[in-house]
Amino acid sequence: MTYQTVVPAELAYAGTTPYSARHDDIYHSAQGGLEQARHVFLGGNDIPAAWRGCERFVILETGFGLGLNFLATWHAWRNDPRRCRRLHFVSVEKHPFRRDDLARLQEQWPELAGLSAQLVSQWPTLVPGLHRLHFENEAVTLTLMFGDANDWLPQLTLAADAFYLDGFAPDRNPDLWSDATFAQLRRLAAPGATLATWTVAEDVTRRAAAADFRWGKRPGFGNKRYMLAASAPGTRHGTMPTDRRIVVVGAGLAGASAANRLAARDYDVTVLERASKPAQGASGNIAGVFRPLPSLDDTRLSRLLRACFLYGQRHFAALPGVRHGPTGVLHLARDARHEDTQRRTAEAQFAPELFRFVERDEAARLAGWPVEMGGWWFPGGGWIDPPSLCRANLAGLPVRCGVHVARMAREGSLWRLFDADRQLIAEAPRVVLANGIDTPRLAPRVPIRIGRGLVSHLPEADVPRFDIVATRNGYVTPAIDGLHCAGATLTPDDTDAAPHRDDHVENLLRLDAILPGYGKSLNPAQLDGRVGFRPMSPDRLPIVGPVSASDGLWIINGFGARGLVWASLCAELLASRIAAEPLPIETELAQAIGVSRFDDKRRSRRTM
């Protein structure tokens, strides 16, 4: 499934009220936007009373607009001493405002200024997809969907406790009030979910009833005599499990990220690591590349990498102690045909703050070195030190190193983990396998392959200065602690841990293809480097989700060469699934990286 480029909303007014020329309609009542938000959407859903006593409360909104309903809800949550512990607000917006316009629009509500500033500071790049933002030490989570509701509502995985229907008027934007929309709302409704909107148009009430919402009229706001309030069948429930212990096996990028995201949800996390300290396997390199990978047809891989890159940027910014350099990444074309594809891709997915195409001369200026082709420039990309990211994610969490899990067994409601001497190491109702290439030993049905790779270390004193990250069938980084990283080789199913001269020769050839002549003074026989063993899946996508349907065994693995990009959002996805929260990516992508995809492929081959 491919989504259209996001077209921003244009800032305009009808008198003093924000106005959309595209729909010839105003964004909120002329009698007051904040007052309307509180009367119609909070009042119509009986908020804050509805969330009291809840561990978690989920709101789904159609039409983010100015963000006023979100800010009003956040404000009410913040000022309610009996609030729910975690608030999820999910909203779809086909034409989001640009950051500066949003800030300007929200200035008219001074009492929300502090919240508005936080929202504006995290406002996402205007590209299609889901964008997850965290506030209030992650007690408040906003998940924005930029795109058409008809595309995105079917791609949501959540159970909403309340709905805010706040699109433009049904006669101005009929697609948002269609039978299909109401069918999706019913699908996404938790038992007893409530729904509110400012209109009681006959088509709206009929469609609400047809979707099995019981509706009624309440006094409206401003010049509206009535508003609609409705509810889904059933009674609100959703108690959280009392035993919140969870064991994460592995303290590399996957395990450390998973532990961080689970701890943010108040799980009692214990991390077990076979090595003497975290990040000793594939996550132990000096530096790795952090950037997405666009494609002309916006493939699943491209969409997932884009979402992971953007979420990762926000995660790193909020995580103290991560060593990284946002130097920008120059992704040079392989040949003239690829260069043309890169150029057309940038034109088709216009978001220059994410990436743009640069011709060869500009590419050479950015690199500070002659290059053969143009390519993509990612201004927000760069390098990251993986061990520092692991340490930052694990800060404050119990990590037991030098612990080898030899066997696991499900006994009653618990997983029990044993060492080679059959001694019990740990037990918990849930286990996350994040132990890289060692995973198939504990979960044989997971198809992880070994990808041996060597990264060459180039002494800073032996090569010219180079200050960005550049890639072209290989990569080279700026100097970090006196060494440039160049690589990397890839040999499947090879477990030889020793570096070889041929590995360095291969990396220097890759380097010369990126920066011709840059490494001419280097002798491959005199270079140092590091061998790592990447866990690779058959389709090069990560593996995230339950290993089996309902026994509490989960996995996050298969990161291959893109662990720095995958890690943060894949861990957020895993934690969201374990906690039964709204997912941070579309259902199609979550299914594409689940373990069950391999079973589906096996069944498909058997029936051919």
Side-chain angles (χ1 to χ4, degrees):
M1 189 171 185
T2 302
Y3 301 104
Q4 297 178 349
T5 300
V6 172
V7 178
E10 296 298 332
L11 182 59
Y13 293 90
T16 59
T17 305
Y19 166 81
S20 169
R22 180 177 285 107
H23 295 287
D24 189 24
D25 200 1
I26 54 177
Y27 276 91
H28 60 70
S29 170
Q31 283 74 42
L34 181 56
E35 294 80 2
Q36 180 188 35
R38 287 169 170 162
H39 179 90
V40 174
F41 299 106
L42 277 75
N45 284 288
D46 298 323
I47 293 171
W51 64 38
R52 289 175 179 162
C54 296
E55 172 72 20
R56 175 179 63 242
F57 196 82
V58 179
I59 297 169
L60 174 58
E61 176 186 53
T62 57
F64 189 76
L66 314 183
L68 193 50
N69 295 335
F70 168 65
L71 294 176
T73 304
W74 181 7
H75 188 265
W77 178 90
R78 181 181 258 197
N79 288 283
D80 182 7
R82 298 167 58 193
R83 64 198 177 209
C84 55
R85 290 188 65 184
R86 293 179 65 84
L87 174 64
H88 275 272
F89 196 102
V90 183
S91 185
V92 61
E93 178 54 62
K94 186 175 183 179
H95 300 291
F97 281 100
R98 299 175 180 88
R99 182 193 303 266
D100 292 347
D101 289 341
L102 188 71
R104 190 174 301 113
L105 285 161
Q106 293 177 356
E107 287 175 352
Q108 60 185 300
W109 298 288
E111 66 183 288
L112 302 178
L115 306 185
S116 172
Q118 294 181 58
L119 173 61
V120 169
S121 70
Q122 287 201 52
W123 191 241
T125 302
L126 302 189
V127 293
L130 275 69
H131 304 264
R132 175 156 287 183
L133 319 179
H134 299 294
F135 306 96
E136 301 287 351
N137 196 28
E138 302 203 24
V140 174
T141 296
L142 171 64
T143 304
L144 290 163
M145 299 169 287
F146 290 161
D148 194 311
N150 292 308
D151 292 332
W152 284 105
L153 290 177
Q155 289 293 326
L156 287 179
T157 302
L158 57 81
D161 299 295
F163 295 97
Y164 294 179
L165 272 63
D166 194 24
F168 292 110
D171 61 339
R172 309 295 173 91
N173 189 21
D175 288 348
L176 198 59
W177 304 86
S178 66
D179 290 327
T181 296
F182 276 94
Q184 287 299 322
L185 299 182
R186 182 66 188 89
R187 178 184 71 84
L188 296 166
T194 58
L195 178 153
T197 185
W198 47 268
T199 180
V200 290
E202 182 178 352
D203 283 351
V204 173
T205 58
R206 176 178 57 79
R207 286 171 176 144
D212 203 22
F213 285 98
R214 184 178 59 200
W215 66 274
K217 294 180 180 179
R218 293 189 185 183
F221 176 78
N223 60 4
K224 296 287 185 182
R225 185 176 180 184
Y226 297 111
M227 58 166 280
L228 182 143
S231 62
T235 303
R236 280 201 177 102
H237 59 80
T239 57
M240 303 297 288
T242 55
D243 189 343
R244 298 183 66 79
R245 289 177 297 167
I246 189 163
V247 173
V248 177
V249 182
L253 281 172
S257 300
N260 176 278
R261 298 292 77 217
L262 288 162
R265 290 159 171 82
D266 298 322
Y267 280 93
D268 180 7
V269 181
T270 297
V271 181
L272 305 180
E273 170 54 47
R274 185 174 185 173
S276 60
K277 60 182 179 178
Q280 294 303 289
S283 303
N285 288 337
I286 293 173
V289 180
F290 182 67
R291 59 108 168 89
L293 186 65
S295 63
L296 186 58
D297 51 354
D298 208 18
T299 63
R300 286 180 179 177
L301 174 64
S302 295
R303 284 155 41 205
L304 185 60
L305 281 167
R306 178 173 66 226
C308 289
F309 173 79
L310 294 171
Y311 182 83
Q313 284 184 314
R314 291 189 289 274
H315 181 65
F316 304 151
L319 197 63
V322 181
R323 292 188 68 199
H324 66 106
T327 59
V329 176
L330 180 62
H331 182 123
L332 295 165
R334 296 184 299 272
D335 50 38
R337 183 176 179 180
H338 186 218
E339 186 180 52
D340 179 64
T341 300
Q342 285 188 318
R343 186 183 291 107
R344 289 186 292 121
T345 300
E347 292 169 352
Q349 302 176 37
F350 188 72
E353 63 270 39
L354 180 61
F355 78 103
R356 62 187 177 89
F357 180 80
V358 294
E359 300 291 348
R360 185 181 66 177
D361 288 349
E362 185 177 0
R365 287 195 298 272
L366 289 166
W369 192 264
V371 296
E372 295 179 346
M373 310 294 295
W376 287 322
W377 172 244
F378 300 94
W383 61 268
I384 298 173
D385 168 18
S388 74
L389 178 55
C390 292
R391 290 192 298 269
N393 273 316
L394 293 169
L397 297 179
V399 182
R400 295 169 56 188
C401 294
V403 176
H404 173 50
V405 179
R407 185 175 66 88
M408 303 189 312
R410 182 78 176 183
E411 299 180 10
S413 62
L414 298 177
W415 281 99
R416 309 192 81 201
L417 288 74
F418 301 90
D419 65 16
D421 296 325
R422 301 183 180 180
Q423 298 299 305
L424 181 67
I425 301 170
E427 61 180 15
R430 290 163 294 271
V431 172
V432 175
L433 296 179
N435 51 333
I437 63 173
D438 195 38
T439 289
R441 187 177 53 80
L442 299 176
R445 67 184 286 250
V446 179
I448 294 292
R449 295 184 65 190
I450 297 171
R452 177 188 180 275
L454 177 129
V455 177
S456 298
H457 298 160
L458 318 180
E460 181 179 15
D462 294 348
V463 291
R465 178 168 176 164
F466 185 71
D467 295 328
I468 66 169
V469 176
T471 71
R472 189 191 185 197
N473 292 330
Y475 69 87
V476 58
T477 73
I480 299 121
D481 297 333
L483 295 172
H484 295 269
C485 296
T489 63
L490 175 60
T491 310
D493 305 318
D494 185 344
T495 58
D496 183 359
H500 300 294
R501 180 182 180 279
D502 287 348
D503 296 325
H504 292 299
V505 169
E506 182 178 336
N507 283 335
L508 290 181
L509 289 172
R510 294 174 187 268
L511 176 64
D512 195 62
I514 301 168
L515 305 174
Y518 181 80
K520 62 183 180 181
S521 64
L522 298 172
N523 183 345
Q526 296 176 349
L527 290 178
D528 290 326
R530 185 180 188 277
V531 173
F533 300 100
R534 309 166 189 153
M536 302 190 307
S537 71
D539 57 10
R540 302 296 179 93
L541 288 172
I543 305 173
V544 183
V547 174
S548 53
S550 59
D551 64 358
L553 183 61
W554 299 80
I555 187 169
I556 178 168
N557 209 320
F559 284 180
R562 297 190 173 105
L564 287 168
V565 186
W566 293 133
S568 299
L569 185 56
C570 284
E572 175 70 9
L573 170 65
L574 179 81
S576 297
R577 293 195 66 173
I578 291 173
E581 295 179 349
L583 298 192
I585 60 174
E586 55 261 48
T587 302
E588 179 184 326
L589 293 185
Q591 292 172 345
I593 61 176
V595 181
S596 62
R597 73 188 192 262
F598 303 114
D599 295 332
D600 295 340
K601 290 174 182 175
R602 293 186 192 107
R603 283 192 292 268
S604 177
R605 284 196 295 268
R606 286 198 296 267
T607 59
M608 290 178 66

